[in-house]
Amino acid sequence: MIDIQIRAAAPTDADAVLSFWREAAEGTSISDDVDGVKRLLARDPEALILAVDGDVIVGSVIAGWDGWRASLYRLAVLPSHRRRGISKTLLRAAEERFATLGGRRADAMVLEANERAHQAWTAAGYERQDSWRRWVKPFTG
């Protein structure tokens, strides 16, 4: 039996979070570096929610709130810990955070090719919204 703790990430978790994402998350982001994680935590210390088993990160979700939108990113669980309700617990924590802050709905960023994630989000009560598309412009130095 595992004893999972749900907690906000600390700046000292940045390296471990990046290592965890390389193992458990699908895809990469331009902000996947120590500075990116630390900037997130400096701006919103409660945004990165972790599931931890002892000193091992086994799950994560970014629950970003800008005062207008509640956005979910990086929902991931270690392959060895999947199908144990960890993502459900992380989403519950994120949704409770949003409700406390005044959020009215949550939007999730989900890779189009990640069919397993589509199933997980659907099971959690989220619906695909085909009328919207993401438009992206990376900033360069």
Side-chain angles (χ1 to χ4, degrees):
M1 182 90 179
I2 59 174
D3 184 25
I4 301 298
Q5 175 192 9
I6 302 298
R7 65 170 176 82
T12 55
D13 292 315
D15 284 317
V17 165
L18 292 167
S19 179
F20 164 77
W21 284 342
R22 282 190 294 275
E23 184 175 352
E26 296 286 330
T28 58
S29 170
I30 195 169
S31 54
D32 281 359
D33 55 35
V34 170
D35 287 339
V37 173
K38 287 184 177 180
R39 274 191 305 276
L40 168 66
L41 297 176
R43 186 192 174 287
D44 187 349
E46 304 296 316
L48 177 51
I49 302 169
L50 302 177
V52 181
D53 182 9
D55 60 354
V56 176
I57 298 171
V58 298
S60 76
V61 68
I62 297 174
W65 170 251
D66 64 9
W68 181 259
R69 294 195 190 277
S71 301
L72 295 163
Y73 312 90
R74 290 301 172 109
L75 177 62
V77 175
L78 276 180
S80 62
H81 286 68
R82 290 181 181 154
R83 307 211 47 86
R84 298 183 190 186
I86 295 171
S87 66
K88 185 177 185 177
T89 302
L90 285 164
L91 283 177
R92 186 178 319 116
E95 291 166 358
E96 288 172 3
R97 168 180 156 74
F98 293 147
T100 299
L101 294 170
R104 296 181 183 183
R105 72 165 187 239
D107 298 327
M109 295 294 294
V110 184
L111 290 171
E112 186 65 28
N114 190 344
E115 291 295 327
R116 180 177 45 236
H118 296 184
Q119 294 170 9
W121 285 103
T122 299
Y126 288 77
E127 297 177 4
R128 180 185 174 120
Q129 197 170 44
D130 289 329
S131 59
W132 295 91
R133 289 290 180 257
R134 180 177 178 200
W135 294 50
V136 178
K137 178 183 178 182
F139 301 131
T140 56

